[in-house]
Tab-separated table of all heavy atoms in Angstrom:
chain	number	residue	atom	x	y	z
V	83	LYS	N	-30.658	32.405	35.201
V	83	LYS	CA	-31.673	31.698	34.389
V	83	LYS	C	-32.376	32.511	33.377
V	83	LYS	O	-33.150	33.435	33.724
V	83	LYS	CB	-32.777	31.081	35.431
V	83	LYS	CG	-33.744	30.123	34.648
V	83	LYS	CD	-34.585	29.528	35.800
V	83	LYS	CE	-35.831	28.971	35.114
V	83	LYS	NZ	-36.738	28.341	35.952
V	84	CYS	N	-32.065	32.196	32.097
V	84	CYS	CA	-32.619	32.992	31.034
V	84	CYS	C	-34.215	32.892	31.072
V	84	CYS	O	-34.731	31.969	31.325
V	84	CYS	CB	-32.160	32.404	29.657
V	84	CYS	SG	-32.735	33.310	28.254
V	85	THR	N	-34.809	34.134	30.773
V	85	THR	CA	-36.280	34.119	30.918
V	85	THR	C	-36.853	33.681	29.673
V	85	THR	O	-38.146	33.540	29.575
V	85	THR	CB	-36.725	35.545	31.240
V	85	THR	OG1	-36.196	36.475	30.157
V	85	THR	CG2	-36.378	36.087	32.555
V	86	HIS	N	-36.123	33.218	28.750
V	86	HIS	CA	-36.723	32.660	27.461
V	86	HIS	C	-37.140	31.210	27.744
V	86	HIS	O	-38.246	30.909	28.002
V	86	HIS	CB	-35.788	32.826	26.286
V	86	HIS	CG	-36.296	32.091	25.030
V	86	HIS	ND1	-35.505	31.278	24.270
V	86	HIS	CD2	-37.423	32.159	24.502
V	86	HIS	CE1	-36.173	30.857	23.332
V	86	HIS	NE2	-37.314	31.339	23.306
V	87	LEU	N	-36.217	30.326	27.853
V	87	LEU	CA	-36.512	28.948	28.040
V	87	LEU	C	-35.576	28.288	29.148
V	87	LEU	O	-35.456	27.092	29.229
V	87	LEU	CB	-36.458	28.065	26.884
V	87	LEU	CG	-37.473	28.382	25.833
V	87	LEU	CD1	-37.295	27.626	24.488
V	87	LEU	CD2	-38.911	28.046	26.380
V	88	GLY	N	-34.978	29.125	29.920
V	88	GLY	CA	-34.377	28.604	31.118
V	88	GLY	C	-32.896	28.097	31.088
V	88	GLY	O	-32.407	27.444	31.920
V	89	CYS	N	-32.273	28.472	29.951
V	89	CYS	CA	-30.823	28.113	29.982
V	89	CYS	C	-30.039	29.084	30.859
V	89	CYS	O	-30.625	30.036	31.520
V	89	CYS	CB	-30.300	28.335	28.523
V	89	CYS	SG	-30.765	26.997	27.478
V	90	THR	N	-28.773	28.713	31.088
V	90	THR	CA	-27.851	29.558	32.054
V	90	THR	C	-27.170	30.563	31.289
V	90	THR	O	-26.409	30.386	30.407
V	90	THR	CB	-26.944	28.587	32.765
V	90	THR	OG1	-27.736	27.642	33.495
V	90	THR	CG2	-26.080	29.347	33.771
V	91	VAL	N	-27.411	31.963	31.593
V	91	VAL	CA	-26.736	33.031	30.950
V	91	VAL	C	-25.373	33.163	31.525
V	91	VAL	O	-25.054	32.809	32.636
V	91	VAL	CB	-27.516	34.292	31.034
V	91	VAL	CG1	-28.808	34.224	30.385
V	91	VAL	CG2	-27.655	34.739	32.470
V	101	LYS	N	-25.170	37.042	28.260
V	101	LYS	CA	-25.582	36.377	26.947
V	101	LYS	C	-26.031	34.983	27.182
V	101	LYS	O	-25.454	34.193	28.048
V	101	LYS	CB	-24.427	36.390	25.956
V	101	LYS	CG	-24.089	37.843	25.568
V	101	LYS	CD	-22.714	37.895	24.797
V	101	LYS	CE	-22.733	37.107	23.549
V	101	LYS	NZ	-21.512	37.222	22.753
V	102	CYS	N	-27.052	34.588	26.497
V	102	CYS	CA	-27.643	33.336	26.747
V	102	CYS	C	-27.014	32.410	25.473
V	102	CYS	O	-27.279	32.736	24.323
V	102	CYS	CB	-29.023	33.203	26.675
V	102	CYS	SG	-29.747	31.500	26.906
V	103	PRO	N	-26.427	31.301	25.833
V	103	PRO	CA	-25.922	30.389	24.712
V	103	PRO	C	-26.963	29.747	23.947
V	103	PRO	O	-26.681	29.237	22.847
V	103	PRO	CB	-24.985	29.465	25.491
V	103	PRO	CG	-25.632	29.350	26.929
V	103	PRO	CD	-26.128	30.754	27.215
V	104	CYS	N	-28.187	29.630	24.517
V	104	CYS	CA	-29.135	28.728	23.777
V	104	CYS	C	-29.755	29.349	22.540
V	104	CYS	O	-29.719	28.815	21.530
V	104	CYS	CB	-30.142	28.254	24.778
V	104	CYS	SG	-29.559	27.150	26.063
V	105	HIS	N	-30.352	30.554	22.676
V	105	HIS	CA	-30.940	31.127	21.520
V	105	HIS	C	-30.596	32.581	21.458
V	105	HIS	O	-31.363	33.398	20.977
V	105	HIS	CB	-32.442	30.993	21.604
V	105	HIS	CG	-32.911	29.609	22.113
V	105	HIS	ND1	-33.394	29.422	23.388
V	105	HIS	CD2	-32.764	28.386	21.557
V	105	HIS	CE1	-33.521	28.074	23.461
V	105	HIS	NE2	-33.178	27.424	22.404
V	106	ALA	N	-29.440	32.996	22.010
V	106	ALA	CA	-28.754	34.270	21.811
V	106	ALA	C	-29.601	35.471	22.377
V	106	ALA	O	-29.404	36.602	21.933
V	106	ALA	CB	-28.641	34.489	20.361
V	107	SER	N	-30.367	35.304	23.402
V	107	SER	CA	-30.938	36.476	24.079
V	107	SER	C	-29.713	37.146	24.842
V	107	SER	O	-28.778	36.532	25.243
V	107	SER	CB	-31.943	36.015	25.117
V	107	SER	OG	-33.149	35.547	24.610
V	108	ALA	N	-29.957	38.553	24.985
V	108	ALA	CA	-28.823	39.271	25.688
V	108	ALA	C	-29.462	40.185	26.723
V	108	ALA	O	-30.649	40.682	26.529
V	108	ALA	CB	-27.835	39.992	24.762
V	109	PHE	N	-28.807	40.506	27.783
V	109	PHE	CA	-29.341	41.350	28.804
V	109	PHE	C	-28.255	42.317	29.328
V	109	PHE	O	-27.084	41.912	29.332
V	109	PHE	CB	-29.797	40.487	29.983
V	109	PHE	CG	-30.770	39.405	29.675
V	109	PHE	CD1	-30.298	38.107	29.220
V	109	PHE	CD2	-32.164	39.565	29.643
V	109	PHE	CE1	-31.043	37.123	28.869
V	109	PHE	CE2	-33.035	38.538	29.335
V	109	PHE	CZ	-32.453	37.303	28.915
V	117	ALA	N	-31.642	41.847	23.625
V	117	ALA	CA	-31.892	41.096	22.381
V	117	ALA	C	-32.947	39.952	22.622
V	117	ALA	O	-32.738	39.237	23.575
V	117	ALA	CB	-30.686	40.470	21.779
V	118	ALA	N	-33.887	39.819	21.758
V	118	ALA	CA	-34.848	38.779	21.770
V	118	ALA	C	-34.206	37.372	21.599
V	118	ALA	O	-33.032	37.422	21.181
V	118	ALA	CB	-35.932	39.023	20.808
V	119	PRO	N	-34.769	36.277	21.798
V	119	PRO	CA	-36.237	36.039	21.941
V	119	PRO	C	-36.742	36.212	23.371
V	119	PRO	O	-37.941	36.230	23.580
V	119	PRO	CB	-36.307	34.502	21.562
V	119	PRO	CG	-35.014	33.955	21.753
V	119	PRO	CD	-34.063	35.064	21.461
V	120	ALA	N	-35.943	36.421	24.412
V	120	ALA	CA	-36.389	36.683	25.731
V	120	ALA	C	-37.239	38.018	25.687
V	120	ALA	O	-36.974	38.860	24.898
V	120	ALA	CB	-35.294	36.814	26.711
E	150	ILE	N	-35.630	23.076	28.620
E	150	ILE	CA	-36.240	23.831	27.622
E	150	ILE	C	-37.702	23.442	27.459
E	150	ILE	O	-38.620	24.274	27.452
E	150	ILE	CB	-35.508	23.687	26.253
E	150	ILE	CG1	-34.158	24.437	26.402
E	150	ILE	CG2	-36.351	24.183	25.128
E	150	ILE	CD1	-33.530	24.665	25.139
E	268	SER	N	-29.005	24.896	22.465
E	268	SER	CA	-29.808	23.906	23.286
E	268	SER	C	-31.131	23.661	22.599
E	268	SER	O	-31.858	24.614	22.261
E	268	SER	CB	-30.100	24.355	24.613
E	268	SER	OG	-28.870	24.252	25.348
E	278	GLN	N	-40.593	24.358	19.173
E	278	GLN	CA	-39.500	25.236	19.479
E	278	GLN	C	-39.397	26.353	18.376
E	278	GLN	O	-39.063	27.451	18.588
E	278	GLN	CB	-38.204	24.596	19.896
E	278	GLN	CG	-37.303	25.376	20.796
E	278	GLN	CD	-36.072	24.775	21.126
E	278	GLN	OE1	-35.954	23.485	21.228
E	278	GLN	NE2	-35.035	25.552	21.239
E	282	LEU	N	-40.129	30.576	18.070
E	282	LEU	CA	-39.186	31.630	17.662
E	282	LEU	C	-40.053	32.742	16.729
E	282	LEU	O	-39.549	33.766	16.669
E	282	LEU	CB	-38.094	31.040	16.781
E	282	LEU	CG	-37.005	30.275	17.527
E	282	LEU	CD1	-35.992	29.689	16.426
E	282	LEU	CD2	-36.314	31.110	18.519
E	421	MET	N	-29.005	29.367	17.581
E	421	MET	CA	-30.212	29.049	16.939
E	421	MET	C	-30.395	29.871	15.646
E	421	MET	O	-31.462	30.131	15.121
E	421	MET	CB	-31.493	29.220	17.747
E	421	MET	CG	-31.659	28.294	18.910
E	421	MET	SD	-31.787	26.594	18.292
E	421	MET	CE	-33.462	26.438	17.969
C	502	FES	S1	-33.150	30.094	26.776
C	502	FES	FE1	-31.961	31.876	26.758
C	502	FES	S2	-32.250	32.491	24.720
C	502	FES	FE2	-33.521	30.827	24.784
Side-chain angles (χ1 to χ4, degrees):
Chain V
K83 184 177 167 184
C84 180
T85 53
H86 176 227
L87 289 174
C89 287
T90 300
V91 298
K101 290 170 60 177
C102 180
C104 288
H105 321 107
S107 288
F109 309 85
Chain E
I150 287 196
S268 285
Q278 205 183 326
L282 287 178
M421 289 303 273

